[in-house]
Amino acid sequence: RSGGCLNGGSSIPSLTTGEHMLCLCPDGFEGTHCEQAKAGQCYEGVGLYYAGTTSTSGSGHTCLEWDVDTRERFMTSDVNGGRHNYCRNLFYRRRPWCYVWKNQQVVWEYCEIPRCVQVLRKSSLLSFNLKFTTCGLRIRPKQMKIVGGTKATIESHPWFAAIFWRSKSREMVFRCGGSLISSCWVLTAAHSRRFYITLGKQVLNESEPTSEQTFRVKKIIIHERFNNSEGNFNNDIALVQLKPRQGRCAEESQSVKVVCLPPPGHMVQPGVTCEITGFGKEKHGLWYKSQYLREAQVNLLAQDVCGQKDYYGNLITENMFCAARPDWSQDACEGDSGGPLVCEIQDRLFQFGVISWGDGCAKEFRPGVYAKVSNYNAWIEEKTGLSFTGRGSPPL
């Protein structure tokens, strides 16, 4: 009877049938179900693009006008060059905020602004005919909590590929990560070039024959335009072809599955929380890598934020994006390169990024940098001979 009206909206019935006809929305909201705050009245993600006129903190204090230094460094493109006291999200905090005068001192407080609610709709991601493949589906729920993360089960990340090389002493040495995109192909970073791939691995110094599948490498294809002359690993992406065993490559199991790839040019919004996985160092400066597969959550940053001079400036190209935690507590680190950054879209995991580079680990204003996978769909199809159109990722 309510017609699904949200945010205090009222259902207006049809005069002929008495059934719900439309929603009468309260001030500040619009949409079929009053699900969306009017432009400027809500924020998306963590509010990096919020440009509304709310100027009161959550405790009811009036915001102070932004100071000259802050305006010149961060708000030159804002309304009136930032000469106002409207709430904004500078310094990549959790949501829009402002400075207020409280208890005889200047402090900052979050503003009471609603988050924009988006109606779930069949996006271009899900227009892929996914019913013919199990890509991006995991058996066990993620355990959530690499740097600042927690141990992960391989069943939560069954597409993760551990890349090894054999030393002169015949020892298998872990080099970097990757992700399984089809039964015979692994996606990784261009600066990760070695010889053995193990799928289904959860502990580096232990082998589990019942869940692991190990392959030699048949071919490595590094992107032709991979370039580190500027120190930014542009086009940092590569493909590794597995050498079949008895005519077969990877076989699907609870611990081995393919990840979904997004459509060309598709990218999730800044502020969205995604996951990274790897065996990399748990802290910058350690001499050893993690023995256990670890996972962490990071939020995507807007391109213009990561390109600011206080971040990475012009080192960030259109082939990259950045991600970090608002408190800089979790991040990829040395040894995580080549591993996947995946985002959940209606119960499936899509790989939007390949872990590439960064200045230190979990360092303020130095987020992790990732190769943007959706820029390389055509290149992946050309090199592998696989067709991802209509399926997200080929099944095993």
Side-chain angles (χ1 to χ4, degrees):
R1 289 179 178 273
S2 68
C5 301
L6 305 174
N7 297 309
S10 302
S11 174
I12 305 299
S14 167
L15 294 177
T16 55
T17 66
E19 298 295 322
H20 169 79
M21 182 174 66
L22 57 86
C23 290
L24 180 64
C25 300
D27 289 342
F29 293 90
E30 59 188 358
T32 305
H33 301 286
C34 308
E35 75 282 352
Q36 186 172 351
K38 290 183 178 179
Q41 302 303 315
C42 64
Y43 70 92
E44 296 179 346
V46 293
L48 296 175
Y49 289 115
Y50 174 73
T53 57
T54 297
S55 57
T56 305
S57 74
S59 65
H61 288 77
T62 300
C63 297
L64 300 175
E65 187 171 289
W66 298 100
D67 63 86
V68 175
D69 181 62
T70 300
R71 296 201 308 265
E72 291 180 348
R73 293 179 64 192
F74 304 107
M75 305 176 69
T76 55
S77 60
D78 205 325
V79 59
N80 298 327
R83 192 177 183 83
H84 56 67
N85 68 335
Y86 304 146
C87 301
R88 293 291 184 264
N89 188 2
L90 308 180
F91 314 129
Y92 196 61
R93 292 192 167 119
R94 296 182 185 276
R95 59 182 187 271
W97 58 276
C98 69
Y99 290 112
V100 298
W101 182 256
K102 185 177 181 180
N103 298 328
Q104 304 302 311
Q105 61 181 338
V106 175
V107 297
W108 69 270
E109 289 187 342
Y110 287 119
C111 299
E112 204 63 39
I113 304 170
R115 184 189 294 273
C116 301
V117 178
Q118 296 182 335
V119 180
L120 291 177
R121 57 185 181 275
K122 193 172 184 180
S123 69
S124 57
L125 278 175
L126 296 174
S127 65
F128 276 25
N129 188 357
L130 295 176
K131 65 182 180 180
F132 297 113
T133 175
T134 57
C135 80
L137 294 176
R138 49 181 163 201
I139 302 301
R140 296 183 182 179
K142 55 190 178 183
Q143 298 200 3
M144 298 326 301
K145 207 191 147 185
I146 315 201
V147 173
T150 59
K151 293 179 183 177
T153 62
I154 189 60
E155 291 85 357
S156 297
H157 308 274
W159 37 82
F160 183 80
I163 301 179
F164 295 84
W165 69 284
R166 192 182 293 277
S167 67
K168 292 181 179 179
S169 62
R170 310 295 292 173
E171 180 185 6
M172 295 288 282
V173 180
F174 175 75
R175 297 299 296 176
C176 57
S179 53
L180 190 68
I181 61 172
S182 79
S183 62
C184 288
W185 289 94
V186 166
L187 189 67
T188 186
H191 66 281
S192 301
R193 316 175 191 181
R194 285 301 180 250
F195 307 105
Y196 290 85
I197 304 288
T198 298
L199 307 170
K201 177 166 279 294
Q202 187 165 316
V203 185
L204 275 187
N205 60 355
E206 296 179 7
S207 295
E208 181 51 65
T210 60
S211 61
E212 294 179 12
Q213 301 176 35
T214 299
F215 298 88
R216 289 190 174 189
V217 171
K218 180 178 180 179
K219 183 192 301 182
I220 300 175
I221 303 174
I222 299 166
H223 198 281
E224 299 82 4
R225 295 185 179 178
F226 170 63
N227 182 5
N228 191 35
S229 61
E230 301 294 328
N232 63 349
F233 297 96
N234 197 23
N235 295 301
D236 191 10
I237 197 165
L239 288 160
V240 178
Q241 186 177 20
L242 307 183
K243 187 175 182 179
R245 300 180 304 184
Q246 299 179 339
R248 292 185 62 87
C249 294
E251 297 187 43
E252 184 175 3
S253 68
Q254 289 190 355
S255 54
V256 176
K257 292 182 183 292
V258 295
V259 70
C260 298
L261 296 186
H266 195 99
M267 196 65 197
V268 291
Q269 294 181 339
V272 169
T273 301
C274 298
E275 303 171 23
I276 53 176
T277 318
F279 285 105
K281 295 180 179 181
E282 298 177 35
K283 184 179 180 181
H284 181 61
L286 292 180
W287 62 270
Y288 57 89
K289 297 180 176 67
S290 172
Q291 287 299 305
Y292 296 92
L293 184 65
R294 299 179 73 84
E295 61 189 5
Q297 291 183 309
V298 290
N299 295 5
L300 272 61
L301 275 69
Q303 201 77 354
D304 58 350
V305 170
C306 200
Q308 291 178 358
K309 62 181 181 180
D310 286 347
Y311 285 72
Y312 290 123
N314 58 11
L315 290 178
I316 302 302
T317 74
E318 62 181 10
N319 298 317
M320 312 169 190
F321 66 90
C322 298
R325 291 293 294 170
D327 59 0
W328 309 101
S329 62
Q330 300 182 28
D331 193 10
C333 201
E334 184 181 344
D336 290 320
S337 295
L341 177 144
V342 298
C343 308
E344 189 167 355
I345 309 292
Q346 294 192 4
D347 299 324
R348 288 184 185 263
L349 279 298
F350 286 79
Q351 183 175 356
F352 284 90
V354 173
I355 299 173
S356 182
W357 62 279
D359 179 6
C361 310
K363 186 177 178 181
E364 190 172 4
F365 300 118
R366 293 295 182 269
V369 184
Y370 301 78
K372 190 182 296 183
V373 172
S374 59
N375 280 13
Y376 300 97
N377 295 67
W379 180 79
I380 292 171
E381 292 192 0
E382 174 194 347
K383 300 302 181 183
T384 63
L386 299 169
S387 175
F388 293 86
T389 304
R391 291 192 297 177
S393 288
L396 291 181

PDB file of all heavy atoms in Angstrom, residues 147 281-288 333-334 360-361:
ATOM      1  N   VAL A 147      48.809  -4.678   4.107  1.00  0.00           N
ATOM      2  CA  VAL A 147      49.063  -3.815   5.252  1.00  0.00           C
ATOM      3  C   VAL A 147      47.734  -3.487   5.936  1.00  0.00           C
ATOM      4  O   VAL A 147      46.813  -2.990   5.305  1.00  0.00           O
ATOM      5  CB  VAL A 147      49.752  -2.508   4.813  1.00  0.00           C
ATOM      6  CG1 VAL A 147      49.865  -1.546   5.971  1.00  0.00           C
ATOM      7  CG2 VAL A 147      51.126  -2.801   4.251  1.00  0.00           C
ATOM      8  N   LYS A 281      54.137  -7.777   1.821  1.00  0.00           N
ATOM      9  CA  LYS A 281      54.589  -7.409   3.161  1.00  0.00           C
ATOM     10  C   LYS A 281      53.462  -6.780   3.959  1.00  0.00           C
ATOM     11  O   LYS A 281      52.650  -6.031   3.427  1.00  0.00           O
ATOM     12  CB  LYS A 281      55.764  -6.430   3.059  1.00  0.00           C
ATOM     13  CG  LYS A 281      57.005  -7.050   2.423  1.00  0.00           C
ATOM     14  CD  LYS A 281      58.151  -6.049   2.348  1.00  0.00           C
ATOM     15  CE  LYS A 281      59.398  -6.692   1.735  1.00  0.00           C
ATOM     16  NZ  LYS A 281      60.527  -5.753   1.661  1.00  0.00           N
ATOM     17  N   GLU A 282      53.431  -7.092   5.252  1.00  0.00           N
ATOM     18  CA  GLU A 282      52.387  -6.581   6.127  1.00  0.00           C
ATOM     19  C   GLU A 282      52.714  -5.182   6.653  1.00  0.00           C
ATOM     20  O   GLU A 282      51.882  -4.541   7.294  1.00  0.00           O
ATOM     21  CB  GLU A 282      52.161  -7.540   7.292  1.00  0.00           C
ATOM     22  CG  GLU A 282      51.675  -8.916   6.836  1.00  0.00           C
ATOM     23  CD  GLU A 282      51.526  -9.887   7.990  1.00  0.00           C
ATOM     24  OE1 GLU A 282      51.145  -9.446   9.093  1.00  0.00           O
ATOM     25  OE2 GLU A 282      51.791 -11.079   7.797  1.00  0.00           O
ATOM     26  N   LYS A 283      53.934  -4.723   6.374  1.00  0.00           N
ATOM     27  CA  LYS A 283      54.343  -3.392   6.805  1.00  0.00           C
ATOM     28  C   LYS A 283      55.522  -2.959   5.957  1.00  0.00           C
ATOM     29  O   LYS A 283      56.396  -3.761   5.633  1.00  0.00           O
ATOM     30  CB  LYS A 283      54.722  -3.400   8.291  1.00  0.00           C
ATOM     31  CG  LYS A 283      55.071  -2.034   8.857  1.00  0.00           C
ATOM     32  CD  LYS A 283      55.401  -2.137  10.349  1.00  0.00           C
ATOM     33  CE  LYS A 283      55.759  -0.779  10.929  1.00  0.00           C
ATOM     34  NZ  LYS A 283      56.097  -0.864  12.359  1.00  0.00           N
ATOM     35  N   HIS A 284      55.553  -1.701   5.578  1.00  0.00           N
ATOM     36  CA  HIS A 284      56.658  -1.183   4.769  1.00  0.00           C
ATOM     37  C   HIS A 284      57.974  -1.299   5.539  1.00  0.00           C
ATOM     38  O   HIS A 284      58.062  -0.956   6.711  1.00  0.00           O
ATOM     39  CB  HIS A 284      56.403   0.282   4.417  1.00  0.00           C
ATOM     40  CG  HIS A 284      57.480   0.883   3.564  1.00  0.00           C
ATOM     41  ND1 HIS A 284      57.782   0.405   2.312  1.00  0.00           N
ATOM     42  CD2 HIS A 284      58.334   1.914   3.788  1.00  0.00           C
ATOM     43  CE1 HIS A 284      58.761   1.115   1.795  1.00  0.00           C
ATOM     44  NE2 HIS A 284      59.117   2.035   2.674  1.00  0.00           N
ATOM     45  N   GLY A 285      59.003  -1.821   4.895  1.00  0.00           N
ATOM     46  CA  GLY A 285      60.309  -1.956   5.514  1.00  0.00           C
ATOM     47  C   GLY A 285      60.619  -3.348   6.026  1.00  0.00           C
ATOM     48  O   GLY A 285      61.782  -3.650   6.332  1.00  0.00           O
ATOM     49  N   LEU A 286      59.594  -4.203   6.126  1.00  0.00           N
ATOM     50  CA  LEU A 286      59.866  -5.577   6.549  1.00  0.00           C
ATOM     51  C   LEU A 286      60.674  -6.296   5.465  1.00  0.00           C
ATOM     52  O   LEU A 286      60.536  -6.015   4.281  1.00  0.00           O
ATOM     53  CB  LEU A 286      58.557  -6.344   6.784  1.00  0.00           C
ATOM     54  CG  LEU A 286      57.688  -5.914   7.973  1.00  0.00           C
ATOM     55  CD1 LEU A 286      56.439  -6.789   8.039  1.00  0.00           C
ATOM     56  CD2 LEU A 286      58.465  -6.015   9.279  1.00  0.00           C
ATOM     57  N   TRP A 287      61.517  -7.250   5.860  1.00  0.00           N
ATOM     58  CA  TRP A 287      62.320  -7.982   4.878  1.00  0.00           C
ATOM     59  C   TRP A 287      61.599  -9.217   4.378  1.00  0.00           C
ATOM     60  O   TRP A 287      62.010  -9.839   3.401  1.00  0.00           O
ATOM     61  CB  TRP A 287      63.671  -8.380   5.474  1.00  0.00           C
ATOM     62  CG  TRP A 287      63.580  -9.295   6.664  1.00  0.00           C
ATOM     63  CD1 TRP A 287      63.498  -8.927   7.967  1.00  0.00           C
ATOM     64  CD2 TRP A 287      63.554 -10.728   6.645  1.00  0.00           C
ATOM     65  NE1 TRP A 287      63.419 -10.042   8.780  1.00  0.00           N
ATOM     66  CE2 TRP A 287      63.466 -11.164   7.993  1.00  0.00           C
ATOM     67  CE3 TRP A 287      63.630 -11.685   5.641  1.00  0.00           C
ATOM     68  CZ2 TRP A 287      63.424 -12.505   8.351  1.00  0.00           C
ATOM     69  CZ3 TRP A 287      63.584 -13.033   5.994  1.00  0.00           C
ATOM     70  CH2 TRP A 287      63.487 -13.423   7.325  1.00  0.00           C
ATOM     71  N   TYR A 288      60.497  -9.595   5.041  1.00  0.00           N
ATOM     72  CA  TYR A 288      59.781 -10.812   4.651  1.00  0.00           C
ATOM     73  C   TYR A 288      58.342 -10.482   4.245  1.00  0.00           C
ATOM     74  O   TYR A 288      57.781  -9.469   4.648  1.00  0.00           O
ATOM     75  CB  TYR A 288      59.758 -11.813   5.809  1.00  0.00           C
ATOM     76  CG  TYR A 288      59.144 -11.258   7.088  1.00  0.00           C
ATOM     77  CD1 TYR A 288      57.774 -11.361   7.334  1.00  0.00           C
ATOM     78  CD2 TYR A 288      59.943 -10.622   8.039  1.00  0.00           C
ATOM     79  CE1 TYR A 288      57.218 -10.850   8.487  1.00  0.00           C
ATOM     80  CE2 TYR A 288      59.394 -10.106   9.196  1.00  0.00           C
ATOM     81  CZ  TYR A 288      58.026 -10.227   9.420  1.00  0.00           C
ATOM     82  OH  TYR A 288      57.479  -9.717  10.560  1.00  0.00           O
ATOM     83  N   CYS A 333      51.203  -3.579  -0.636  1.00  0.00           N
ATOM     84  CA  CYS A 333      52.598  -3.314  -0.321  1.00  0.00           C
ATOM     85  C   CYS A 333      53.475  -4.179  -1.223  1.00  0.00           C
ATOM     86  O   CYS A 333      52.974  -4.893  -2.109  1.00  0.00           O
ATOM     87  CB  CYS A 333      52.866  -3.609   1.160  1.00  0.00           C
ATOM     88  SG  CYS A 333      54.337  -2.782   1.835  1.00  0.00           S
ATOM     89  N   GLU A 334      54.779  -4.114  -1.019  1.00  0.00           N
ATOM     90  CA  GLU A 334      55.709  -4.878  -1.846  1.00  0.00           C
ATOM     91  C   GLU A 334      55.368  -6.365  -1.810  1.00  0.00           C
ATOM     92  O   GLU A 334      55.191  -6.947  -0.745  1.00  0.00           O
ATOM     93  CB  GLU A 334      57.138  -4.661  -1.355  1.00  0.00           C
ATOM     94  CG  GLU A 334      58.188  -5.338  -2.216  1.00  0.00           C
ATOM     95  CD  GLU A 334      59.592  -5.124  -1.698  1.00  0.00           C
ATOM     96  OE1 GLU A 334      59.785  -4.215  -0.858  1.00  0.00           O
ATOM     97  OE2 GLU A 334      60.502  -5.865  -2.108  1.00  0.00           O
ATOM     98  N   GLY A 360      55.682   3.918  -0.720  1.00  0.00           N
ATOM     99  CA  GLY A 360      55.534   3.331   0.602  1.00  0.00           C
ATOM    100  C   GLY A 360      54.270   2.491   0.674  1.00  0.00           C
ATOM    101  O   GLY A 360      53.676   2.126  -0.335  1.00  0.00           O
ATOM    102  N   CYS A 361      53.841   2.208   1.895  1.00  0.00           N
ATOM    103  CA  CYS A 361      52.646   1.392   2.121  1.00  0.00           C
ATOM    104  C   CYS A 361      51.820   2.028   3.236  1.00  0.00           C
ATOM    105  O   CYS A 361      52.353   2.317   4.303  1.00  0.00           O
ATOM    106  CB  CYS A 361      53.023  -0.033   2.509  1.00  0.00           C
ATOM    107  SG  CYS A 361      54.223  -0.819   1.402  1.00  0.00           S
TER     108      CYS A 361
END
